[in-house]
Amino acid sequence: MTYKDKLLLGSEVELVVPEGEYAGNYRTRIEEVGESNLSVGAPYKMDVIITLHEGTEVTLKFWDQLAAYSF
């Protein structure tokens, strides 16, 4: 089973920014699943869009009925 089997368009995920100006946990959704890339929508918290700068390191977390995943 690959990540493509778990990450479907529109799936809700969480982005974790471990440090810096925007450190925190943010909700977003999967917008595109490619062979070597994954695109997510702009993260938001309390209906406010959070602007993350290019190069910001994040951890993506998601879950299903069996387990929680992160990378």
Side-chain angles (χ1 to χ4, degrees):
M1 186 171 292
T2 68
Y3 70 93
K4 287 182 176 183
D5 298 324
K6 297 285 183 180
L7 292 171
L8 305 174
L9 294 180
S11 297
E12 187 175 303
V13 297
E14 184 174 302
L15 289 180
V16 179
V17 181
E19 58 186 31
E21 181 179 357
Y22 296 105
N25 295 13
Y26 305 102
R27 293 178 168 260
T28 188
R29 296 195 181 276
I30 301 295
E31 291 191 347
E32 180 181 351
V33 179
E35 289 297 321
S36 62
N37 66 331
L38 178 68
S39 296
V40 297
Y44 59 94
K45 191 168 196 168
M46 297 178 62
D47 296 328
V48 175
I49 293 176
I50 307 300
T51 304
L52 297 178
H53 300 288
E54 186 174 337
T56 301
E57 291 190 29
V58 300
T59 299
L60 185 135
K61 292 183 177 183
F62 64 101
W63 47 93
D64 63 14
Q65 298 84 357
L66 300 175
Y69 309 87
S70 71
F71 61 91

